């Protein structure tokens, strides 16, 4: 009896210990780990950095938005944010599409995004203190100063010195590119060197930067810059007027001026700390289940996005096409990179603000898919020639039959020419060149040309 009781007690203690361990928060990051994590972005303008921190709490949305940005390399600024206004992503994630270089790094480093989002949710004050430490180091090293791209100001809030970074021109925003191992001077934590995620070789964001801070092209972003820091209180602010100007489908009330995490958009990534799991996880799982059913809650949980289920199907079809270079029958891609019903991948050349312009910068992002389409087209043509070879010579000895076929071919060719001329100016048809992107007024490029 005593032995059975001992075993029962041991089991109870084991279960209690397991439950206690699962309820405890994960260890907090210390200064060395936080500075290592924040080093790549601490020198971003305040608004961009605050919105990046908010967006990092929605890693699934960030991944989808980064894929969209990759497919639409010519889209930036307020126009890019407007282009995705019907997507179900959190507005903080949409706002980052104004800055393609930021989305490029976030898309390439999903684990870093998760870590930064966890740190911001678990330790917001410590994250903001880390940013100020890093800015002070960069300023002392001579790397952070006012110039044509940015204005750097120093303010005192009690015993703390606050360094703020804002665009020099409110109408044009520059996001710096820099090597964290250089701009901060001597690094205080050799065991935790700063993270550094340079653009991939050959990327449109790659530069010849070796030391200091480099600058790309300025971005026309006004209403997309709606975030900011409340440095003294450890939270981020929202400029409601700007936010509502750019997020017309998801407006905030005038008194909602601070960031409020929307767990319904968290997606498949669990929360790091027990306190946040207890606070948010039920809503996260509910939102995830709704997303799996094809719905999509907007930020703040205020209803389903228009056409949520269709949008989910379209994103899946678009993902398939981006991976394989082949379109799914019944779907096409419009000029902004979104899937639509009724045809092949559509890509308007020289019209509006289309993301993938034929013969322009968007063509580079589609290069691999275009190469695959060209190979498929050549292969299809070769098979067609081989299959038709016997038919071409089958009646070679029958002169009447040959003359009859030639006459029929001439009639069909003339008819095709008349039809093609009419279609080429109609905008809805055009000479068909297969199943790829639609150029200009409606010609199809891609898999096997009709003659």
């Amino acid at each position: 009896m005593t032995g059975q009781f001992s075993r029962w007690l041991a089991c109870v203690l084991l279960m209690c210990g397991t439950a206690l361990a699962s309820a405890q928060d994960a260890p907090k990051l210390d200064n060395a780990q936080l500075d290592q994590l924040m080093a790549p972005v601490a020198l971003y303008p305040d608004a961009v950095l605050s919105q990046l921190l908010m967006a990092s709490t929605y890693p699934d949305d960030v991944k989808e938005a980064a894929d969209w940005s990759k497919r639409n390399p010519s889209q930036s600024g307020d126009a890019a944010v407007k282009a995705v206004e019907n997507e179900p992503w959190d507005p903080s994630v949409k706002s980052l599409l104004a800055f393609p270089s930021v989305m490029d790094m976030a898309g390439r480093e999903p684990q870093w995004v998760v870590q930064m989002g966890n740190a911001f949710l678990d330790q917001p004050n410590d994250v903001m203190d880390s940013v100020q430490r890093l800015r002070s180091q960069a300023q002392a090293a001579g790397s952070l100063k006012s110039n044509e791209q940015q204005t750097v100001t120093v303010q005192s809030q009690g015993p703390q010195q606050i360094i703020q970074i804002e665009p020099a021109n409110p109408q044009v925003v520059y996001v710096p590119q820099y090597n964290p191992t250089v701009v901060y001077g001597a690094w205080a934590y050799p065991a935790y060197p700063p993270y550094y995620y340079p653009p991939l070789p050959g990327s449109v964001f790659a530069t010849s930067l070796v030391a200091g801070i480099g600058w790309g092209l300025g971005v026309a972003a006004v209403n997309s810059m709606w975030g900011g820091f409340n440095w003294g209180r450890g939270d981020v602010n929202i400029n409601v007027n700007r936010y509502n100007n750019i997020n017309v489908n998801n407006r905030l009330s005038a008194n909602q001026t601070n960031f409020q995490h929307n767990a319904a958009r968290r997606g498949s990534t669990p929360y790091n700390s027990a306190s946040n799991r207890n606070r948010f996880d039920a809503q996260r799982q509910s939102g995830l289940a709704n997303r799996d059913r094809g719905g999509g809650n907007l930020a703040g949980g205020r209803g389903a996005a228009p056409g949520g289920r269709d949008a989910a199907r379209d994103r899946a079809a678009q993902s398939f096409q981006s991976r394989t270079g082949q379109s799914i029958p019944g779907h096409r891609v419009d000029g902004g990179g979104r899937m639509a019903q009724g045809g092949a991948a559509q890509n308007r050349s020289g019209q509006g603000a289309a993301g993938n312009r034929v013969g322009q910068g968007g063509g580079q992002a589609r290069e691999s898919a275009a190469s695959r389409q060209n190979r498929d087209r050549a292969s299809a043509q070769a098979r067609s020639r081989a299959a038709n070879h016997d038919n071409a010579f089958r009646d070679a000895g029958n002169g009447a039959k040959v003359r009859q076929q030639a006459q029929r071919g001439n009639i069909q060719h003339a008819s095709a020419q008349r039809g093609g001329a009419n279609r080429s100016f109609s905008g809805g048809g055009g000479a068909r060149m297969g199943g790829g992107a639609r150029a200009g007024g409606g010609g199809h490029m891609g898999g096997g040309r009709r003659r």
Side-chain angles (χ1 to χ4, degrees), residues 166-180:
E166 298 175 341
N169 179 351
Q171 305 294 322
V172 182
V173 182
Y174 292 86
V175 178
Q177 298 183 38
Y178 58 88
N179 184 339

Side-chain angles (χ1 to χ4, degrees), residues 44-67:
Y44 281 6
D46 283 19
V48 177
L49 178 57
S50 68
Q51 290 163 219
L52 175 59
L53 288 174
M54 289 184 267
S56 66
T57 67
Y58 310 105
D60 286 8
D61 284 358
V62 169
K63 181 182 183 303
E64 292 183 14
D67 290 342

Side-chain angles (χ1 to χ4, degrees), residues 161-371:
Q161 176 180 277
I162 301 300
I163 299 177
Q164 296 177 307
I165 304 175
E166 298 175 341
N169 179 351
Q171 305 294 322
V172 182
V173 182
Y174 292 86
V175 178
Q177 298 183 38
Y178 58 88
N179 184 339
T181 65
V182 175
V183 298
Y184 296 115
W187 190 252
Y189 319 104
Y192 294 91
Y195 289 153
Y196 179 33
Y197 305 120
L200 296 176
S203 165
V204 295
F205 306 112
T207 67
S208 57
L209 180 67
V210 176
I213 297 179
W215 305 94
L217 296 176
V219 172
V222 178
N223 290 317
S224 298
M225 298 274 286
W226 46 260
F229 285 103
N230 188 343
W231 294 106
R233 297 180 57 184
D235 57 22
V236 294
N237 296 332
I238 295 174
N239 183 318
V240 176
N241 289 334
R242 287 188 176 185
Y243 176 99
N244 287 341
N245 285 340
I246 199 76
N247 296 292
V248 295
N249 293 333
N250 192 28
R251 295 178 180 272
L252 296 177
S253 60
N255 60 354
Q256 192 173 343
T257 58
N258 294 328
F259 169 60
Q260 297 177 13
H261 177 65
N262 176 23
R265 291 305 314 172
R266 174 72 173 184
S268 59
T269 304
Y271 290 98
N272 184 56
S273 66
S275 57
N276 280 326
R277 285 194 297 273
N278 293 335
R279 181 182 179 187
F280 293 124
D281 206 57
Q283 187 183 359
R284 177 188 74 85
Q285 298 208 31
S286 176
L288 184 60
N290 184 48
R291 185 183 303 193
D292 290 341
R293 290 193 297 268
N297 287 342
L298 296 170
R302 294 193 281 175
R309 183 169 299 176
D310 291 340
R313 285 196 295 265
D314 290 343
R315 286 195 296 272
Q318 190 173 24
S319 176
F320 173 83
Q321 180 170 334
S322 67
R323 292 194 307 269
T324 67
Q326 303 297 320
S327 61
I328 294 178
H331 289 78
R332 60 182 172 82
V333 181
D334 67 17
R338 291 174 51 83
M339 301 300 296
Q341 298 291 333
Q346 177 174 271
N347 187 357
R348 294 181 176 85
S349 174
Q351 297 183 8
N356 298 325
R357 292 182 170 85
V358 175
Q360 298 182 17
Q364 182 178 359
R366 295 278 185 170
E367 182 176 359
S368 60
S371 298

Side-chain angles (χ1 to χ4, degrees), residues 42-45 134-154 163-168 174 176 178 183-184 212-215:
L43 304 187
Y44 281 6
L134 291 167
R135 289 182 175 183
S136 294
Q137 288 179 230
Q139 190 178 52
S143 304
L144 181 61
K145 60 185 72 174
S146 296
N147 52 32
E148 295 180 358
Q149 291 81 22
Q150 65 183 13
T151 299
V152 180
T153 59
V154 180
I163 299 177
Q164 296 177 307
I165 304 175
E166 298 175 341
Y174 292 86
Y178 58 88
V183 298
Y184 296 115
I213 297 179
W215 305 94

